[in-house]
């Protein structure tokens, strides 16, 4: 019994030692931050330290290069792969708006389904009935079958 407890403790301490420490990251869920702040970077050297603005927030017209929304000779940001047009999209909607839109869509689908269910017309023709217990014997059915291979029986309905 004590050997079992000792091995469990040893196992727990080894697992705790192998877990990576949580790193302090940004609280926002966005992959591209559009804050406009200027971060001090000692490794940047004499390259201009530009503010953190995404090119996705720029207007679509008035640029020398309309595809990348940039003018001729404009200095690229050090992290252009993060702040360029081709970076992951900026999220401008809050999660509650997305949840509300999902709920609205679900309600619209449920309402449309209910409308179709209530207004679906009846069959224009009577359903076909077969004599002799739905032709059970003629189609090869036996007396003790759970589900008979016969057609629809004529129950006098």
């Amino acid at each position: 019994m004590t050997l079992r407890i000792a091995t469990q403790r040893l196992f727990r301490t080894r697992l705790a030692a192998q877990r990576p420490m949580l790193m302090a990251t940004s609280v926002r869920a966005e992959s591209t931050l559009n804050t406009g702040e200027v971060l001090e970077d000692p490794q940047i050297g004499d390259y201009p330290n530009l503010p953190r603005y995404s090119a996705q927030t720029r207007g679509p017209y008035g640029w020398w290069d309309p595809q990348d929304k940039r003018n001729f000779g404009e200095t690229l940001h050090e992290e252009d792969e993060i702040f360029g047009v081709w970076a992951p999209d900026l999220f401008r909607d809050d999660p509650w708006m997305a949840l509300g839109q999902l709920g609205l869509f679900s309600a619209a689908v449920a309402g449309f389904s209910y409308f179709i269910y209530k207004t679906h017309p009846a069959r224009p023709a009577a359903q076909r009935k077969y004599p002799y217990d739905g032709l059970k014997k003629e189609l090869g059915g036996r007396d003790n079958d759970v589900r008979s291979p016969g057609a629809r029986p004529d129950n006098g309905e």
Side-chain angles (χ1 to χ4, degrees):
M1 183 75 171
T2 57
L3 180 62
R4 181 177 165 196
I5 294 172
T7 56
Q8 285 178 350
R9 278 192 200 144
L10 180 65
F11 186 66
R12 273 191 235 129
T13 55
R14 284 190 179 175
L15 277 180
Q18 290 176 355
R19 278 188 209 145
M21 297 299 290
L22 294 176
M23 299 180 72
T25 58
S26 176
V27 180
R28 298 175 65 156
E30 294 182 20
S31 58
T32 304
L33 297 175
N34 189 37
T35 59
E37 63 184 337
V38 177
L39 298 179
E40 295 302 322
D41 188 3
Q43 296 178 350
I44 199 170
D46 60 348
Y47 196 79
N49 199 1
L50 301 173
R52 297 172 64 101
Y53 284 118
S54 175
Q56 294 176 8
T57 59
R58 294 179 168 186
Y61 304 110
W63 305 103
W64 179 79
D65 182 7
Q67 186 173 5
D68 285 335
K69 296 181 184 179
R70 141 178 351 149
N71 287 325
F72 184 77
E74 183 178 352
T75 306
L76 289 179
H77 196 279
E78 178 192 13
E79 299 173 339
D80 185 56
E81 69 277 357
I82 296 174
F83 295 109
V85 175
W86 306 108
D89 290 337
L90 290 174
F91 297 110
R92 295 188 179 98
D93 297 333
D94 96 56
W96 294 108
M97 178 182 283
L99 189 63
Q101 290 174 354
L102 182 64
L104 183 66
F105 174 74
S106 300
V109 168
F112 182 71
S113 301
Y114 180 76
F115 173 75
I116 294 298
Y117 176 74
K118 286 298 185 183
T119 60
H120 185 70
R123 291 185 182 184
Q127 192 172 6
R128 187 179 296 175
K129 306 280 184 175
Y130 295 99
Y132 306 114
D133 199 20
L135 301 175
K136 183 176 181 181
K137 188 177 270 184
E138 288 78 3
L139 292 174
R142 294 175 294 233
D143 290 334
N144 296 331
D145 285 343
V146 176
R147 184 174 180 187
S148 71
R152 296 178 204 92
D154 185 16
N155 294 337
E157 294 176 358

